[in-house]
Amino acid sequence: MIKDKTVADVMWKEVDIIDSKLTITQALETMQHKRTKMLIVDKSNPEDEFGVVLIADIASKVIAENKSCDRVNVYEIMNKPIISVTSSMSVKNCSTLLTRFGLSRCPVIDHGEVVGVVSLTNIVLNGLRV
């Protein structure tokens, strides 16, 4: 039943964590999990926060503005701080959070470590299955 499902039940466990100093070209070349449509930007130090670059960010902030992917660094277009959830959050609460903030996906962070990515697509297609 959906009320019993948690983010851990529907999230992708494979994520791409990149350095903020990479160019967009380098970041895309290292991206192995394209279905997440998200690159997680690693913390620059232990007190820092994670960042995020979505495929949509690259389209709107680089391509649409006619900038070179070889000349734009990840830190220039990343979103930070980010909204994240824990793997133990219910899919109902996660869905509410994502829709309330107009997000389609977000990182899953447990104890300060990225453990996955959850999306509304995952919740709808996998969360409703019994």
Side-chain angles (χ1 to χ4, degrees):
M1 200 163 197
I2 191 147
K3 69 177 184 168
D4 299 329
K5 294 228 177 186
T6 65
V7 168
D9 296 321
V10 299
M11 71 182 189
W12 287 304
K13 293 179 178 82
E14 301 84 22
V15 297
D16 293 294
I17 301 177
I18 60 168
D19 188 281
S20 66
K21 295 178 194 87
L22 293 178
T23 65
I24 299 304
T25 299
Q26 292 168 326
L28 290 172
E29 287 172 352
T30 64
M31 188 176 191
Q32 296 180 11
H33 306 97
K34 292 174 178 47
R35 68 182 179 179
T36 65
K37 300 176 187 168
M38 173 184 280
L39 294 162
I40 311 278
V41 183
D42 204 0
K43 299 176 180 183
S44 60
N45 62 63
E47 290 78 38
D48 197 10
E49 298 294 327
F50 289 103
V52 166
V53 173
L54 301 172
I55 295 298
D57 295 326
I58 297 170
S60 66
K61 297 176 183 177
V62 181
I63 297 170
E65 293 184 9
N66 203 30
K67 295 180 180 177
S68 170
C69 290
D70 294 326
R71 298 181 60 105
V72 175
N73 294 90
V74 168
Y75 67 82
E76 296 177 69
I77 68 163
M78 72 180 177
N79 300 294
K80 184 177 175 179
I82 59 171
I83 292 175
S84 64
V85 298
T86 64
S87 63
S88 61
M89 180 182 255
S90 73
V91 294
K92 179 187 178 299
N93 288 340
C94 182
S95 179
T96 300
L97 178 76
L98 291 176
T99 55
R100 185 163 291 155
F101 285 97
L103 301 172
S104 62
R105 65 198 66 248
C106 74
V108 181
I109 300 177
D110 287 339
H111 310 291
E113 297 298 321
V114 177
V115 296
V117 170
V118 66
S119 72
L120 291 174
T121 303
N122 292 58
I123 291 170
V124 171
L125 296 181
N126 300 318
L128 296 178
R129 294 186 185 147
V130 180

